[in-house]
Coordinates of all heavy atoms in Angstrom, one line a residue:
M1 N 42.8 -10.8 -0.7 CA 42.4 -9.4 -0.2 C 41.5 -9.5 0.9 O 40.7 -10.4 1.1 CB 41.7 -8.7 -1.4 CG 42.6 -7.7 -2.1 SD 41.8 -6.8 -3.4 CE 42.2 -5.2 -2.9
K2 N 41.6 -8.4 1.8 CA 40.8 -8.4 3.0 C 39.7 -7.3 2.9 O 40.0 -6.1 3.1 CB 41.7 -8.1 4.2 CG 42.7 -9.2 4.4 CD 43.7 -8.8 5.6 CE 44.7 -9.8 5.7 NZ 45.8 -9.4 6.7
Y3 N 38.5 -7.7 2.4 CA 37.4 -6.7 2.3 C 36.8 -6.5 3.6 O 36.4 -7.5 4.3 CB 36.4 -7.2 1.3 CG 37.0 -7.3 -0.1 CD1 37.4 -8.5 -0.7 CD2 37.2 -6.2 -0.9 CE1 37.9 -8.6 -2.0 CE2 37.7 -6.2 -2.2 CZ 38.1 -7.5 -2.7 OH 38.6 -7.5 -4.0
T4 N 36.5 -5.2 4.0 CA 35.9 -4.9 5.2 C 34.4 -4.4 5.0 O 33.7 -4.4 5.9 CB 36.6 -3.8 6.0 OG1 36.8 -2.7 5.2 CG2 38.0 -4.4 6.4
T5 N 34.1 -4.0 3.8 CA 32.8 -3.5 3.5 C 32.2 -4.2 2.3 O 32.8 -4.4 1.2 CB 32.9 -2.0 3.2 OG1 33.5 -1.3 4.3 CG2 31.5 -1.4 2.9
L6 N 30.9 -4.6 2.4 CA 30.1 -5.1 1.3 C 29.1 -4.1 0.9 O 28.3 -3.6 1.7 CB 29.4 -6.4 1.8 CG 28.4 -7.1 0.9 CD1 29.1 -7.6 -0.4 CD2 27.7 -8.2 1.6
G7 N 29.1 -3.7 -0.4 CA 28.2 -2.7 -0.9 C 27.1 -3.4 -1.6 O 27.3 -4.4 -2.4
I8 N 25.8 -3.0 -1.4 CA 24.7 -3.6 -2.0 C 23.8 -2.5 -2.7 O 23.4 -1.5 -2.0 CB 23.8 -4.3 -1.0 CG1 24.6 -5.4 -0.3 CG2 22.5 -4.9 -1.7 CD1 23.8 -6.2 0.7
T9 N 23.7 -2.6 -4.0 CA 22.9 -1.6 -4.7 C 21.4 -2.1 -4.7 O 21.0 -3.1 -5.3 CB 23.3 -1.6 -6.2 OG1 24.7 -1.2 -6.2 CG2 22.5 -0.6 -7.0
L10 N 20.6 -1.4 -3.9 CA 19.2 -1.8 -3.6 C 18.4 -1.7 -4.9 O 17.6 -2.5 -5.2 CB 18.6 -0.9 -2.5 CG 19.3 -0.9 -1.2 CD1 18.5 -0.1 -0.2 CD2 19.5 -2.3 -0.7
F11 N 18.6 -0.5 -5.6 CA 17.8 -0.3 -6.8 C 18.6 0.8 -7.6 O 19.4 1.5 -7.0 CB 16.4 0.1 -6.6 CG 16.2 1.1 -5.4 CD1 16.4 2.4 -5.6 CD2 15.8 0.6 -4.2 CE1 16.3 3.3 -4.5 CE2 15.6 1.5 -3.1 CZ 15.8 2.8 -3.3
R12 N 18.2 1.0 -8.8 CA 18.9 2.1 -9.6 C 18.1 3.4 -9.7 O 18.7 4.4 -10.1 CB 19.1 1.6 -11.1 CG 20.3 0.6 -11.2 CD 20.5 0.2 -12.6 NE 20.7 1.3 -13.5 CZ 20.1 1.4 -14.7 NH1 19.4 0.4 -15.2 NH2 20.3 2.4 -15.5
K13 N 16.9 3.4 -9.1 CA 16.2 4.7 -9.2 C 16.9 5.8 -8.3 O 17.3 5.5 -7.2 CB 14.8 4.4 -8.6 CG 13.8 5.6 -8.8 CD 12.4 5.2 -8.3 CE 11.3 6.1 -8.9 NZ 11.1 5.7 -10.3
C14 N 16.9 7.0 -8.9 CA 17.5 8.1 -8.2 C 16.6 9.3 -8.5 O 16.1 9.4 -9.6 CB 18.9 8.3 -8.6 SG 19.8 9.6 -7.6
N15 N 16.6 10.3 -7.6 CA 15.9 11.5 -7.8 C 16.7 12.4 -8.7 O 16.2 13.3 -9.4 CB 15.6 12.3 -6.5 CG 16.9 12.5 -5.7 OD1 17.7 11.6 -5.5 ND2 17.0 13.7 -5.3
A16 N 18.0 12.2 -8.8 CA 18.9 12.9 -9.7 C 19.2 12.2 -11.0 O 18.7 11.0 -11.1 CB 20.2 13.2 -9.0
N17 N 19.8 12.8 -11.9 CA 20.2 12.2 -13.2 C 21.5 12.7 -13.6 O 21.6 13.5 -14.7 CB 19.0 12.6 -14.2 CG 19.2 11.8 -15.5 OD1 20.0 10.9 -15.6 ND2 18.4 12.2 -16.5
C18 N 22.6 12.4 -12.9 CA 23.9 12.9 -13.1 C 24.6 12.3 -14.4 O 24.5 11.1 -14.5 CB 24.8 12.7 -11.9 SG 24.1 13.3 -10.4
S19 N 25.2 13.1 -15.2 CA 25.8 12.6 -16.4 C 27.0 11.7 -16.1 O 27.4 10.9 -16.9 CB 26.2 13.8 -17.3 OG 27.2 14.6 -16.6
I20 N 27.6 11.9 -14.9 CA 28.8 11.1 -14.5 C 28.4 9.8 -13.8 O 29.3 9.1 -13.4 CB 29.7 11.9 -13.5 CG1 28.9 12.3 -12.3 CG2 30.3 13.1 -14.3 CD1 29.8 12.7 -11.1
C21 N 27.1 9.5 -13.6 CA 26.7 8.4 -12.7 C 27.2 7.0 -13.3 O 26.9 6.7 -14.5 CB 25.2 8.3 -12.6 SG 24.6 7.1 -11.5
C22 N 28.0 6.3 -12.5 CA 28.5 5.0 -13.0 C 27.4 3.9 -13.1 O 27.6 2.9 -13.7 CB 29.7 4.6 -12.1 SG 29.3 4.3 -10.4
F23 N 26.3 4.1 -12.4 CA 25.2 3.2 -12.5 C 24.1 3.6 -13.5 O 23.1 2.9 -13.6 CB 24.5 3.0 -11.1 CG 25.4 2.4 -10.1 CD1 25.8 3.1 -9.0 CD2 25.9 1.1 -10.3 CE1 26.7 2.6 -8.1 CE2 26.8 0.5 -9.3 CZ 27.2 1.3 -8.2
E24 N 24.3 4.8 -14.1 CA 23.3 5.3 -15.0 C 22.0 5.4 -14.4 O 20.9 5.1 -15.0 CB 23.3 4.5 -16.4 CG 24.6 4.6 -17.1 CD 24.5 3.9 -18.4 OE1 23.6 3.1 -18.7 OE2 25.5 4.1 -19.2
S25 N 22.0 5.8 -13.1 CA 20.7 6.0 -12.4 C 20.0 7.2 -12.8 O 20.6 8.2 -13.2 CB 21.0 6.0 -10.9 OG 21.5 4.8 -10.4
S26 N 18.7 7.2 -12.6 CA 17.8 8.3 -12.9 C 16.4 8.1 -12.3 O 16.1 7.0 -11.9 CB 17.7 8.5 -14.4 OG 16.8 7.6 -15.0
P27 N 15.6 9.1 -12.3 CA 14.2 8.9 -11.8 C 13.4 7.8 -12.7 O 12.4 7.3 -12.2 CB 13.6 10.3 -12.0 CG 14.7 11.2 -12.0 CD 15.8 10.5 -12.7
K28 N 13.9 7.5 -13.9 CA 13.1 6.6 -14.7 C 13.5 5.1 -14.5 O 12.8 4.2 -15.0 CB 13.4 6.9 -16.2 CG 12.7 8.2 -16.6 CD 13.0 8.5 -18.1 CE 12.4 9.8 -18.5 NZ 12.8 10.2 -19.8
C29 N 14.6 4.9 -13.8 CA 15.1 3.5 -13.6 C 14.1 2.7 -12.6 O 13.7 3.3 -11.6 CB 16.5 3.5 -13.0 SG 17.7 4.1 -14.1
N30 N 13.8 1.5 -12.9 CA 12.9 0.7 -12.1 C 13.5 -0.6 -11.6 O 12.9 -1.3 -10.8 CB 11.6 0.4 -12.9 CG 10.8 1.6 -13.1 OD1 10.6 2.4 -12.2 ND2 10.3 1.8 -14.3
E31 N 14.8 -0.9 -12.0 CA 15.3 -2.2 -11.6 C 15.6 -2.2 -10.1 O 16.1 -1.1 -9.6 CB 16.7 -2.5 -12.3 CG 16.5 -2.6 -13.8 CD 16.8 -1.3 -14.5 OE1 16.7 -0.2 -13.9 OE2 17.2 -1.4 -15.7
S32 N 15.4 -3.3 -9.4 CA 15.6 -3.3 -8.0 C 15.9 -4.8 -7.6 O 15.5 -5.7 -8.3 CB 14.4 -2.8 -7.2 OG 13.3 -3.6 -7.4
L33 N 16.6 -5.0 -6.4 CA 16.8 -6.3 -5.9 C 15.6 -6.6 -4.9 O 15.0 -5.7 -4.3 CB 18.1 -6.3 -5.1 CG 19.4 -6.2 -5.9 CD1 20.6 -6.2 -4.9 CD2 19.5 -7.3 -6.9
E34 N 15.2 -7.9 -4.9 CA 14.1 -8.3 -4.0 C 14.6 -8.4 -2.6 O 15.8 -8.8 -2.3 CB 13.6 -9.7 -4.5 CG 12.2 -10.0 -4.1 CD 12.2 -10.7 -2.8 OE1 13.1 -11.5 -2.6 OE2 11.3 -10.4 -2.0
V35 N 13.9 -8.0 -1.6 CA 14.3 -7.8 -0.2 C 14.8 -9.1 0.4 O 15.8 -9.2 1.1 CB 13.2 -7.2 0.7 CG1 12.0 -8.0 0.8 CG2 13.8 -6.9 2.0
N36 N 14.1 -10.2 0.1 CA 14.6 -11.5 0.6 C 15.9 -12.0 0.0 O 16.7 -12.6 0.7 CB 13.5 -12.6 0.4 CG 12.4 -12.4 1.4 OD1 12.5 -11.9 2.5 ND2 11.2 -12.7 0.9
F37 N 16.1 -11.6 -1.2 CA 17.4 -11.9 -1.9 C 18.5 -11.1 -1.2 O 19.6 -11.6 -0.9 CB 17.4 -11.5 -3.4 CG 18.7 -11.7 -4.1 CD1 19.1 -12.9 -4.5 CD2 19.6 -10.6 -4.2 CE1 20.3 -13.1 -5.1 CE2 20.8 -10.8 -4.9 CZ 21.2 -12.0 -5.3
I38 N 18.3 -9.8 -0.8 CA 19.3 -9.0 -0.1 C 19.6 -9.6 1.2 O 20.7 -9.7 1.6 CB 18.7 -7.6 0.0 CG1 18.5 -6.9 -1.4 CG2 19.7 -6.7 0.9 CD1 17.8 -5.6 -1.4
K39 N 18.5 -10.0 1.9 CA 18.7 -10.6 3.3 C 19.6 -11.9 3.2 O 20.4 -12.2 4.0 CB 17.4 -10.9 4.0 CG 16.7 -9.6 4.4 CD 15.4 -9.8 5.1 CE 14.8 -8.5 5.6 NZ 13.4 -8.7 6.1
K40 N 19.3 -12.7 2.2 CA 20.1 -13.9 2.0 C 21.6 -13.6 1.7 O 22.5 -14.3 2.1 CB 19.5 -14.8 0.8 CG 18.3 -15.6 1.2 CD 17.9 -16.5 0.1 CE 16.6 -17.1 0.4 NZ 16.0 -17.9 -0.8
Y41 N 21.8 -12.6 0.9 CA 23.1 -12.1 0.6 C 23.8 -11.7 1.9 O 25.0 -12.0 2.1 CB 23.0 -10.9 -0.4 CG 24.2 -10.7 -1.2 CD1 24.9 -11.7 -1.9 CD2 24.8 -9.4 -1.3 CE1 26.0 -11.4 -2.6 CE2 25.9 -9.1 -2.0 CZ 26.5 -10.1 -2.7 OH 27.6 -9.9 -3.4
I42 N 23.1 -10.9 2.8 CA 23.7 -10.5 4.0 C 24.0 -11.7 4.9 O 25.1 -11.9 5.5 CB 22.8 -9.5 4.8 CG1 22.7 -8.2 4.0 CG2 23.2 -9.3 6.2 CD1 21.5 -7.3 4.4
D43 N 23.1 -12.7 4.9 CA 23.3 -13.9 5.7 C 24.5 -14.6 5.2 O 25.3 -15.2 6.1 CB 22.1 -14.9 5.5 CG 20.8 -14.4 6.2 OD1 20.9 -13.5 7.0 OD2 19.7 -14.9 5.8
S44 N 24.8 -14.6 3.9 CA 25.9 -15.3 3.4 C 27.3 -14.7 3.8 O 28.3 -15.3 3.8 CB 25.9 -15.4 1.9 OG 26.1 -14.2 1.3
A45 N 27.2 -13.4 4.3 CA 28.4 -12.7 4.7 C 28.7 -13.0 6.2 O 29.8 -12.7 6.6 CB 28.2 -11.2 4.4
V46 N 27.7 -13.5 6.9 CA 27.9 -13.7 8.4 C 29.1 -14.7 8.5 O 29.1 -15.8 7.8 CB 26.7 -14.2 9.0 CG1 26.9 -14.6 10.5 CG2 25.6 -13.1 9.0
G47 N 30.0 -14.4 9.4 CA 31.1 -15.3 9.7 C 32.4 -15.0 8.9 O 33.4 -15.6 9.1
D48 N 32.2 -14.0 7.9 CA 33.4 -13.6 7.2 C 34.4 -13.0 8.2 O 34.0 -12.2 9.0 CB 33.1 -12.6 6.1 CG 34.3 -12.2 5.3 OD1 35.1 -11.4 5.7 OD2 34.5 -12.9 4.2
K49 N 35.7 -13.4 8.1 CA 36.7 -13.0 9.0 C 37.0 -11.4 9.0 O 37.3 -10.9 10.1 CB 38.0 -13.7 8.6 CG 39.0 -13.8 9.7 CD 40.0 -14.8 9.2 CE 41.3 -14.7 9.9 NZ 42.4 -15.6 9.4
Y50 N 36.8 -10.8 7.9 CA 37.2 -9.4 7.8 C 36.1 -8.4 7.6 O 36.2 -7.2 7.9 CB 38.2 -9.2 6.6 CG 39.4 -10.0 6.8 CD1 39.6 -11.2 6.0 CD2 40.4 -9.7 7.7 CE1 40.7 -12.0 6.1 CE2 41.5 -10.5 7.8 CZ 41.7 -11.7 7.0 OH 42.8 -12.5 7.2
L51 N 34.9 -8.9 7.1 CA 33.8 -8.0 6.8 C 33.2 -7.4 8.1 O 32.8 -8.1 9.0 CB 32.8 -8.8 6.1 CG 31.8 -8.1 5.1 CD1 32.6 -7.3 4.1 CD2 30.9 -9.0 4.5
R52 N 33.1 -6.1 8.1 CA 32.5 -5.4 9.2 C 31.3 -4.5 8.9 O 30.5 -4.2 9.7 CB 33.6 -4.4 9.9 CG 34.8 -5.1 10.4 CD 34.5 -5.8 11.7 NE 35.7 -6.6 12.2 CZ 35.8 -7.9 11.9 NH1 35.0 -8.5 11.2 NH2 36.9 -8.5 12.3
N53 N 31.2 -4.1 7.6 CA 30.2 -3.1 7.2 C 29.4 -3.6 6.0 O 29.9 -4.1 5.1 CB 30.9 -1.8 6.8 CG 31.9 -1.3 7.8 OD1 31.6 -1.1 9.0 ND2 33.2 -1.2 7.4
I54 N 28.1 -3.3 6.1 CA 27.2 -3.5 4.9 C 26.8 -2.1 4.5 O 26.2 -1.3 5.3 CB 26.0 -4.3 5.3 CG1 26.4 -5.7 5.9 CG2 25.2 -4.5 4.0 CD1 27.1 -6.7 5.0
S55 N 27.0 -1.7 3.3 CA 26.7 -0.4 2.8 C 25.6 -0.4 1.7 O 25.8 -1.1 0.7 CB 28.0 0.3 2.2 OG 27.7 1.6 1.9
F56 N 24.6 0.3 2.0 CA 23.4 0.3 1.0 C 23.5 1.6 0.1 O 23.7 2.7 0.6 CB 22.1 0.3 1.8 CG 22.0 -0.9 2.6 CD1 22.1 -0.9 4.0 CD2 21.8 -2.2 2.0 CE1 21.9 -2.0 4.8 CE2 21.7 -3.3 2.8 CZ 21.8 -3.2 4.2
T57 N 23.4 1.3 -1.2 CA 23.4 2.4 -2.1 C 22.4 2.2 -3.2 O 21.6 1.2 -3.2 CB 24.9 2.5 -2.7 OG1 24.9 3.7 -3.5 CG2 25.3 1.3 -3.5
G58 N 22.4 3.0 -4.2 CA 21.5 2.9 -5.3 C 22.3 3.4 -6.6 O 23.5 3.2 -6.6
G59 N 21.6 4.1 -7.3 CA 20.5 5.0 -7.0 C 20.5 5.7 -5.7 O 21.6 5.8 -5.1
E60 N 19.4 6.2 -5.3 CA 19.3 6.9 -4.0 C 18.5 6.0 -3.0 O 17.3 5.9 -3.1 CB 18.6 8.2 -4.2 CG 18.4 9.0 -3.0 CD 19.5 9.0 -2.0 OE1 20.6 9.5 -2.3 OE2 19.3 8.5 -0.9
P61 N 19.2 5.4 -2.0 CA 18.6 4.4 -1.1 C 17.5 5.1 -0.3 O 16.6 4.3 0.2 CB 19.7 3.9 -0.3 CG 20.8 4.9 -0.4 CD 20.7 5.5 -1.8
F62 N 17.5 6.4 0.0 CA 16.5 7.0 0.9 C 15.2 7.2 0.1 O 14.2 7.6 0.8 CB 17.0 8.3 1.4 CG 17.9 8.2 2.6 CD1 19.2 7.9 2.5 CD2 17.4 8.4 3.9 CE1 20.1 7.7 3.6 CE2 18.2 8.2 5.0 CZ 19.5 7.9 4.8
L63 N 15.1 6.9 -1.2 CA 13.8 6.9 -1.9 C 12.9 5.9 -1.4 O 11.7 6.0 -1.5 CB 14.0 6.8 -3.4 CG 14.7 8.0 -4.1 CD1 14.8 7.8 -5.6 CD2 13.9 9.3 -3.8
D64 N 13.4 4.8 -0.8 CA 12.5 3.8 -0.2 C 13.0 3.7 1.3 O 13.7 2.7 1.7 CB 12.6 2.4 -0.9 CG 11.6 1.5 -0.4 OD1 11.0 1.7 0.7 OD2 11.3 0.5 -1.1
Y65 N 12.6 4.7 2.1 CA 13.1 4.8 3.4 C 12.7 3.6 4.3 O 13.5 3.1 5.1 CB 12.5 6.1 4.0 CG 13.1 6.4 5.4 CD1 14.4 6.6 5.6 CD2 12.2 6.6 6.5 CE1 15.0 7.0 6.8 CE2 12.8 6.9 7.7 CZ 14.1 7.1 7.9 OH 14.7 7.4 9.1
N66 N 11.5 3.1 4.1 CA 11.1 1.9 4.9 C 11.9 0.7 4.6 O 12.3 -0.1 5.5 CB 9.6 1.6 4.7 CG 8.7 2.6 5.3 OD1 9.1 3.3 6.3 ND2 7.5 2.8 4.7
L67 N 12.2 0.5 3.4 CA 13.1 -0.7 3.0 C 14.5 -0.5 3.6 O 15.1 -1.4 4.2 CB 13.3 -0.8 1.5 CG 14.3 -1.8 1.0 CD1 13.9 -3.2 1.3 CD2 14.5 -1.6 -0.6
L68 N 15.0 0.8 3.5 CA 16.3 1.0 4.1 C 16.4 0.8 5.6 O 17.3 0.1 6.1 CB 16.7 2.5 3.8 CG 18.1 2.9 4.2 CD1 19.2 2.1 3.5 CD2 18.4 4.4 3.9
L69 N 15.3 1.2 6.3 CA 15.2 1.0 7.8 C 15.2 -0.5 8.1 O 15.9 -1.0 9.0 CB 14.0 1.7 8.3 CG 14.1 3.2 8.6 CD1 12.8 3.7 9.2 CD2 15.2 3.5 9.5
E70 N 14.4 -1.2 7.3 CA 14.3 -2.7 7.5 C 15.6 -3.4 7.3 O 16.0 -4.2 8.1 CB 13.2 -3.3 6.5 CG 13.1 -4.8 6.6 CD 12.1 -5.3 5.6 OE1 11.3 -4.5 5.1 OE2 12.1 -6.5 5.4
L71 N 16.4 -3.0 6.3 CA 17.7 -3.6 6.0 C 18.7 -3.2 7.0 O 19.6 -4.0 7.4 CB 18.1 -3.3 4.6 CG 17.2 -4.0 3.6 CD1 17.5 -3.6 2.2 CD2 17.4 -5.6 3.7
V72 N 18.7 -1.9 7.5 CA 19.6 -1.5 8.5 C 19.4 -2.3 9.8 O 20.4 -2.8 10.4 CB 19.5 0.0 8.8 CG1 20.2 0.4 10.0 CG2 20.1 0.8 7.6
E73 N 18.2 -2.5 10.2 CA 17.9 -3.2 11.4 C 18.3 -4.7 11.2 O 18.9 -5.3 12.1 CB 16.3 -3.2 11.6 CG 16.0 -3.9 12.9 CD 14.5 -3.8 13.2 OE1 13.7 -3.4 12.3 OE2 14.1 -4.1 14.4
Y74 N 18.0 -5.3 10.0 CA 18.5 -6.7 9.8 C 20.0 -6.8 9.8 O 20.5 -7.7 10.4 CB 17.9 -7.1 8.4 CG 18.1 -8.5 8.1 CD1 17.1 -9.5 8.6 CD2 19.2 -9.0 7.4 CE1 17.3 -10.8 8.3 CE2 19.3 -10.4 7.1 CZ 18.3 -11.3 7.6 OH 18.5 -12.6 7.4
T75 N 20.7 -5.8 9.2 CA 22.1 -5.8 9.2 C 22.8 -5.8 10.6 O 23.7 -6.5 10.9 CB 22.6 -4.6 8.3 OG1 22.2 -4.8 7.0 CG2 24.1 -4.5 8.4
T76 N 22.3 -4.9 11.4 CA 22.8 -4.7 12.7 C 22.5 -5.9 13.6 O 23.4 -6.3 14.4 CB 22.4 -3.4 13.4 OG1 20.9 -3.4 13.4 CG2 22.9 -2.2 12.7
K77 N 21.4 -6.5 13.4 CA 21.1 -7.8 14.2 C 22.0 -8.9 13.8 O 22.2 -9.8 14.6 CB 19.6 -8.2 13.9 CG 18.6 -7.4 14.7 CD 17.2 -7.9 14.5 CE 16.2 -7.1 15.4 NZ 14.8 -7.4 15.0
K78 N 22.5 -8.8 12.6 CA 23.5 -9.9 12.1 C 24.9 -9.6 12.6 O 25.8 -10.3 12.2 CB 23.4 -10.0 10.6 CG 22.1 -10.5 10.1 CD 21.9 -12.0 10.4 CE 20.6 -12.5 10.0 NZ 20.4 -13.9 10.2
G79 N 25.1 -8.4 13.3 CA 26.4 -8.1 13.8 C 27.3 -7.2 13.0 O 28.4 -7.0 13.3
F80 N 26.7 -6.6 11.9 CA 27.5 -5.7 11.0 C 27.1 -4.3 11.3 O 26.0 -4.0 11.9 CB 27.2 -6.0 9.6 CG 27.6 -7.3 9.1 CD1 26.7 -8.3 8.8 CD2 28.9 -7.7 8.9 CE1 27.0 -9.6 8.3 CE2 29.3 -8.9 8.4 CZ 28.4 -9.9 8.2
N81 N 28.0 -3.3 11.0 CA 27.7 -1.9 10.9 C 26.9 -1.7 9.6 O 27.2 -2.3 8.6 CB 28.9 -1.0 10.9 CG 29.8 -1.3 12.1 OD1 29.3 -1.3 13.3 ND2 31.1 -1.5 11.9
A82 N 25.9 -0.8 9.7 CA 25.2 -0.5 8.5 C 25.6 1.0 8.0 O 25.5 1.9 8.9 CB 23.7 -0.6 8.7
T83 N 25.9 1.1 6.8 CA 26.2 2.5 6.3 C 25.4 2.7 5.0 O 24.8 1.7 4.4 CB 27.7 2.7 6.0 OG1 28.1 1.8 4.9 CG2 28.5 2.3 7.2
T84 N 25.3 3.9 4.5 CA 24.6 4.2 3.3 C 25.4 5.2 2.5 O 26.1 6.0 3.0 CB 23.2 4.6 3.6 OG1 22.5 4.7 2.3 CG2 23.1 5.9 4.3
I85 N 25.2 5.2 1.2 CA 25.7 6.2 0.3 C 24.5 7.0 -0.3 O 23.7 6.3 -0.9 CB 26.6 5.6 -0.8 CG1 27.7 4.8 -0.2 CG2 27.1 6.6 -1.8 CD1 28.5 3.9 -1.1
T86 N 24.5 8.3 0.0 CA 23.3 9.0 -0.4 C 23.7 10.4 -1.0 O 24.8 10.9 -0.7 CB 22.4 9.3 0.8 OG1 21.3 10.1 0.5 CG2 23.2 9.9 2.0
N87 N 22.8 11.0 -1.8 CA 23.1 12.3 -2.3 C 22.6 13.4 -1.4 O 22.6 14.6 -1.7 CB 22.6 12.5 -3.7 CG 21.1 12.4 -3.9 OD1 20.4 12.5 -2.9 ND2 20.6 12.1 -5.1
C88 N 22.0 13.0 -0.3 CA 21.5 13.9 0.8 C 20.3 14.8 0.4 O 20.2 15.9 0.9 CB 22.6 14.7 1.4 SG 23.8 13.6 2.3
F89 N 19.5 14.3 -0.6 CA 18.4 15.2 -1.0 C 17.5 15.5 0.1 O 16.7 16.5 0.0 CB 17.7 14.5 -2.2 CG 16.8 13.4 -1.8 CD1 15.4 13.6 -1.5 CD2 17.3 12.1 -1.6 CE1 14.6 12.5 -1.1 CE2 16.5 11.0 -1.2 CZ 15.1 11.3 -0.9
W90 N 17.5 14.6 1.1 CA 16.5 14.7 2.2 C 17.0 15.8 3.3 O 16.3 16.1 4.2 CB 16.4 13.4 2.9 CG 17.7 12.6 3.0 CD1 18.2 11.7 2.1 CD2 18.7 12.8 4.0 NE1 19.4 11.3 2.5 CE2 19.8 11.9 3.7 CE3 18.8 13.6 5.2 CZ2 20.9 11.8 4.5 CZ3 19.9 13.5 5.9 CH2 21.0 12.6 5.6
C91 N 18.2 16.3 3.1 CA 18.8 17.2 4.1 C 18.4 18.6 3.8 O 18.8 19.2 2.7 CB 20.3 17.0 4.1 SG 21.1 18.1 5.3
H92 N 17.6 19.3 4.7 CA 17.2 20.6 4.4 C 17.8 21.7 5.3 O 17.8 22.8 5.0 CB 15.6 20.7 4.6 CG 14.9 19.8 3.6 ND1 14.9 20.0 2.3 CD2 14.3 18.6 3.8 CE1 14.2 19.0 1.7 NE2 13.9 18.2 2.6
D93 N 18.3 21.3 6.5 CA 19.0 22.2 7.4 C 20.4 21.8 7.6 O 20.8 20.7 7.9 CB 18.3 22.2 8.8 CG 16.8 22.6 8.7 OD1 16.6 23.6 8.0 OD2 16.0 22.0 9.3
L94 N 21.3 22.8 7.3 CA 22.7 22.6 7.5 C 23.2 23.5 8.6 O 22.8 24.5 8.9 CB 23.5 22.8 6.2 CG 23.2 21.9 5.1 CD1 23.9 22.3 3.8 CD2 23.6 20.5 5.5
Ligands
LIG101 S1 23.3 7.7 -7.9 FE1 24.5 9.5 -7.4 S2 25.7 9.9 -9.3 FE2 24.0 8.5 -9.8 S3 22.3 9.9 -10.5 FE3 22.0 9.5 -8.3 S4 23.0 11.3 -7.2 FE4 23.8 11.2 -9.4

């Protein structure tokens, strides 16, 4: 199989608590990946023939905006596109 996107669940914490959530995320969840582990994981993807995108999700990845920015910068420096999956709680103007 030719995978073009690698998804990384940063943590399970979410501002929402949806009954359909496949990660069972909620505001009470505290599990998270350590930042250096995430960077090593991204490093291990460098050189993959088909991989183009690293996608950060959770939980809600924008709950730790500084971490998200740090990882987006790290990802793009490694030559990948950075994407995120969010519930857009931060969006106030449409
Ligand atoms: S991660 Fe998505 S589905 Fe899960 S609780 Fe948060 S908003 Fe809902």
Side-chain angles (χ1 to χ4, degrees):
M1 257 182 128
K2 300 174 183 174
Y3 294 102
T4 58
T5 302
L6 172 66
I8 300 176
T9 302
L10 303 181
F11 44 77
R12 284 182 53 222
K13 192 178 200 71
C14 188
N15 58 311
N17 189 11
C18 305
S19 60
I20 60 160
C21 185
C22 60
F23 296 115
E24 297 182 345
S25 292
S26 78
K28 292 180 180 172
C29 291
N30 289 314
E31 300 94 335
S32 64
L33 294 175
E34 202 273 320
V35 65
N36 289 326
F37 177 82
I38 297 168
K39 288 179 177 177
K40 280 186 190 171
Y41 201 52
I42 294 168
D43 290 345
S44 73
V46 172
D48 184 278
K49 200 168 160 185
Y50 303 106
L51 206 57
R52 298 284 175 268
N53 313 299
I54 306 290
S55 183
F56 299 109
T57 186
E60 173 45 60
F62 277 81
L63 288 179
D64 192 340
Y65 188 58
N66 290 332
L67 173 66
L68 185 59
L69 282 181
E70 179 180 343
L71 290 171
V72 166
E73 185 177 14
Y74 191 83
T75 295
T76 54
K77 280 184 179 169
K78 295 290 178 176
F80 296 109
N81 301 312
T83 67
T84 186
I85 301 168
T86 174
N87 64 19
C88 295
F89 76 94
W90 40 267
C91 182
H92 299 288
D93 296 317
L94 295 175

